[in-house]
Amino acid sequence: MKRTRIAHVLAEGQPGETHQVCGWVRTRRDSKQGFSFIELNDGSSMQGLQIVVDADVPGFEEIHKLITTGASLRLVGKLQESPGKGQRVEMVASEIELYGTADADTYPLQKKRHSFEFLREIAHLRPRTNTFGAITRVRNILSAGIHEFFQTRGFQYIQTPVITTSDCEGAGEMFQVTTLNLERIAQIQTEIDFNQDFFGRKASLTVSGQLEAEIFACAIGECYTFGPTFRAENSNTTRHLAEFWMIEPEMPFYDLNDNMELAEEFIQFLMKAVLEKAPDDMQFFNDRIENTVLETVKQIAETPFERVPYTEAIEILTSSGEKFEYPVKWGNDLQSEHERFLTEKHFKKPIILFDYPRTIKPFYMRCNDDGKTVRAMDVLVPRIGEIIGGSQREERLDVLENRMRECDLNPDDYWWYLDLRRFGTVPHSGFGLGFERIVQLVTGMQNIRDCIPFPRTPKNAAF
RNA sequence: UCCCCUGUAGCUCAAUCGGUAGAGCGAGCGGCUGUUAACCGCUAGGUUCAAGGUUCGAGUCCUUGCGGGGGAGCCA
């Protein structure tokens, strides 16, 4: 007999049907008359299946005491309408098999609430909890939604390299990749000769696929990347990971307005997908994790984003009367407190800030005619802050070269990037979206380390 | 990297002014029950993160180290 997923049994199972289910025990409750209630969860849904096992089920008596929280079982039984409250149907077992026990004295997951800090220390078992099951399912819906969004719009999914030798992508500290024997080198020499290294030069893990995505956007049209990204920053916050997943669409013939439109449509699409496809998990997050998350996600899904030029945002902040720890001044980057004020208090919805001062933005963003600003945009959402950063790219060769020198970069190092402007240059735009930040936004989870199965942060890569 | 908080039973936490280390949950045993965060009783469970210092006496105060959390910066 084929296994039926518990999610399917709960949603569509009818009294009288016989099914086989497999999974892990959440709780067992014994009754005097000799039968037991087992709540079984197989990860397919938030809710588990209640199974009534009578004392005369073959083999049950021998394994009865071994059916503890965490034990794995196979059960066959007939569904019936549940006389008790809390579930539509339940199963009456006719066959039971114990796959594996989970010794109650040593199994770390108990039938109680655990702190997220503790669960991080047992990252191999935390997917078995309600919260991490829900996060994993929502992560999956978001992943599928990302591909669906772009695929139905004719975007091509491209793969950019994880290992890169372009030394200065300009988006933060990089992890070095090497096959050199560092212990030996430390003993016998003081200078490192990268010619001896695997690639014959210094190599690192990518901090962004953007430059490579531009190559394809300027060849095959709209495209996007969705892959791991690495930043060796010593960041210890609830919003940063050393290894995270990033989505980077890149579109030829898009100006900044087209770019903003796409970013807004994209985020709203993902919010709707989650609301529609994971209502139980979303309700759980709202009940148990963060009681405003449903409202927030719905609001983002439906409300048009406010578009505010940087200069106007500065004016709003200076005339707000709000006391900020850091001064608001044109030409300075906005601090977290400023962004939060704008999106949480002033506009009370997602906002897109654009046209930032060129001095605080990277070289590849297109310069405006005012000589002071660039066509950059940041999408800010309540609670998380920046979730998307993007821009229209500078497509004019001479302007781009000047900007590189202004940023102390050597244009020769980017010869291939400049070739895109040298031969058949086109206006184009793109943005980057941190996948775990979207997960964090829709789940209401406070710490991004709980939004990825195996978080990597400074001093932490145990699993 | 900086600032603040924190480290006590398997887990979540308490311990007054520096004076014999406790509770809830979990676990074991027993009872009760179509139960569902089940409930009731009993029992076991501790090198108080580590090293050093002050003191008659340190979980508590001081120093250093390590771990964890929050905030900031960097960003997605």
Side-chain angles (χ1 to χ4, degrees):
Chain A
M1 184 187 272
K2 264 196 143 182
R3 173 175 81 96
T4 311
R5 287 204 182 90
I6 286 171
H8 185 266
V9 173
L10 292 172
E12 293 170 44
Q14 295 302 321
E17 292 174 0
T18 299
H19 288 279
Q20 170 169 276
V21 294
C22 303
W24 294 267
V25 175
R26 282 295 168 78
T27 72
R28 187 195 81 219
R29 297 177 291 270
D30 293 336
S31 86
K32 178 71 183 249
Q33 287 87 329
F35 62 89
S36 298
F37 295 99
I38 293 173
E39 192 188 324
L40 198 73
N41 191 289
D42 66 359
S44 62
S45 63
M46 168 63 57
Q47 213 195 337
L49 179 64
Q50 171 158 293
I51 298 158
V52 185
V53 189
D54 206 70
D56 59 12
V57 171
F60 179 54
E61 212 178 324
E62 294 84 79
I63 61 172
H64 172 246
K65 287 286 174 193
L66 298 172
I67 301 172
T68 54
T69 302
S72 47
L73 293 178
R74 180 183 68 83
L75 289 137
V76 177
K78 199 173 265 191
L79 301 186
Q80 68 172 20
E81 239 173 86
S82 180
K85 283 182 178 167
Q87 59 275 318
R88 183 179 63 87
V89 289
E90 62 187 22
M91 176 181 276
V92 181
S94 54
E95 202 181 320
I96 185 166
E97 182 189 350
L98 178 68
Y99 283 135
T101 57
D103 178 30
D105 281 335
T106 49
Y107 184 58
L109 287 177
Q110 299 171 353
K111 202 169 56 182
K112 58 165 286 187
R113 221 189 122 72
H114 293 285
S115 69
F116 292 123
E117 292 82 7
F118 171 68
L119 291 173
R120 253 171 249 153
E121 293 168 12
I122 49 167
H124 59 307
L125 295 173
R126 68 177 187 168
R128 299 187 188 185
T129 63
N130 282 339
T131 304
F132 285 91
I135 293 167
T136 306
R137 287 185 295 271
V138 163
R139 236 184 112 93
N140 177 61
I141 286 167
L142 287 168
S143 303
I146 285 158
H147 286 296
E148 187 190 343
F149 178 83
F150 288 120
Q151 292 295 326
T152 54
R153 282 163 182 75
F155 283 58
Q156 313 241 13
Y157 174 37
I158 58 161
Q159 293 75 35
T160 52
V162 168
I163 297 174
T164 175
T165 55
S166 59
D167 191 24
C168 29
E169 290 189 36
E173 290 295 311
M174 302 174 84
F175 286 102
Q176 199 180 321
V177 175
T178 183
T179 52
L180 294 171
N181 186 331
L182 299 178
E183 282 165 8
R184 267 192 66 212
I185 289 174
Q187 288 168 357
I188 58 178
Q189 59 192 87
T190 51
E191 292 281 308
I192 292 175
D193 178 11
F194 285 103
N195 290 319
Q196 304 292 317
D197 206 349
F198 189 89
F199 296 104
R201 57 198 288 191
K202 204 171 169 183
S204 309
L205 295 177
T206 184
V207 293
S208 164
Q210 180 200 317
L211 303 191
E212 291 88 349
E214 285 189 46
I215 294 174
F216 278 83
C218 295
I220 55 155
E222 289 93 331
C223 60
Y224 68 103
T225 71
F226 184 11
T229 310
F230 307 88
R231 306 262 167 102
E233 303 286 348
N234 192 3
S235 297
N236 292 290
T237 78
T238 52
R239 309 183 301 285
H240 289 87
L241 293 164
E243 176 181 312
F244 63 101
W245 287 65
M246 186 152 68
I247 299 104
E248 294 179 288
E250 195 70 35
M251 300 77 64
F253 319 114
Y254 273 48
D255 65 15
L256 189 71
N257 282 321
D258 301 326
N259 202 19
M260 290 194 280
E261 221 167 89
L262 184 77
E264 177 172 343
E265 206 186 329
F266 179 46
I267 294 205
Q268 293 192 322
F269 179 90
L270 294 179
M271 297 301 114
K272 286 175 190 154
V274 162
L275 289 170
E276 188 189 316
K277 294 177 181 170
D280 289 353
D281 292 326
M282 289 306 295
Q283 191 61 50
F284 172 84
F285 291 129
N286 204 67
D287 291 344
R288 304 292 282 271
I289 304 294
E290 161 69 54
N291 62 15
T292 58
V293 73
L294 264 181
E295 188 192 326
T296 304
V297 171
K298 278 180 190 159
Q299 199 220 9
I300 294 172
E302 288 157 10
T303 319
F305 295 8
E306 191 75 31
R307 303 198 185 172
V308 192
Y310 168 90
T311 303
E312 201 180 308
I314 294 293
E315 284 161 14
I316 292 169
L317 289 168
T318 46
S319 59
S320 68
E322 188 86 3
K323 273 195 178 167
F324 295 112
E325 195 185 334
Y326 293 89
V328 178
K329 194 180 145 215
W330 200 99
N332 287 359
D333 213 350
L334 295 177
Q335 305 289 320
S336 281
E337 55 170 348
H338 305 144
E339 295 182 348
R340 291 187 73 129
F341 174 81
L342 289 170
T343 183
E344 289 171 13
K345 285 192 183 164
H346 187 81
F347 290 107
K348 295 193 172 73
K349 58 178 164 178
I351 58 176
I352 309 181
L353 294 180
F354 63 98
D355 284 349
Y356 280 77
R358 64 194 278 176
T359 48
I360 57 171
K361 288 293 179 184
F363 70 91
Y364 52 77
M365 296 188 174
R366 193 180 197 280
C367 293
N368 278 314
D369 294 338
D370 61 12
K372 295 189 298 187
T373 59
V374 291
R375 305 240 77 190
M377 65 157 193
D378 283 355
V379 180
L380 310 178
V381 294
R383 212 169 57 81
I384 307 289
E386 185 180 342
I387 198 156
I388 279 182
S391 70
Q392 184 173 339
R393 318 307 189 191
E394 182 55 75
E395 85 281 12
R396 297 162 296 185
L397 181 63
D398 53 332
V399 180
L400 185 56
E401 284 176 327
N402 284 335
R403 274 289 283 154
M404 283 180 169
R405 292 190 198 97
E406 202 175 286
C407 297
D408 284 327
L409 298 173
N410 183 358
D412 293 343
D413 293 338
Y414 294 89
W415 62 273
W416 53 268
Y417 189 70
L418 292 169
D419 265 6
L420 300 180
R421 280 75 182 166
R422 211 168 266 132
F423 310 116
T425 191
V426 294
H428 61 290
S429 300
F431 60 81
L433 172 126
F435 184 52
E436 284 74 19
R437 287 199 182 164
I438 279 278
V439 176
Q440 199 179 0
L441 173 67
V442 304
T443 58
M445 293 297 292
Q446 209 197 336
N447 199 316
I448 202 166
R449 296 166 197 204
D450 303 320
C451 295
I452 187 169
F454 305 103
R456 274 88 182 87
T457 51
K459 303 268 193 297
N460 183 357
F463 289 91

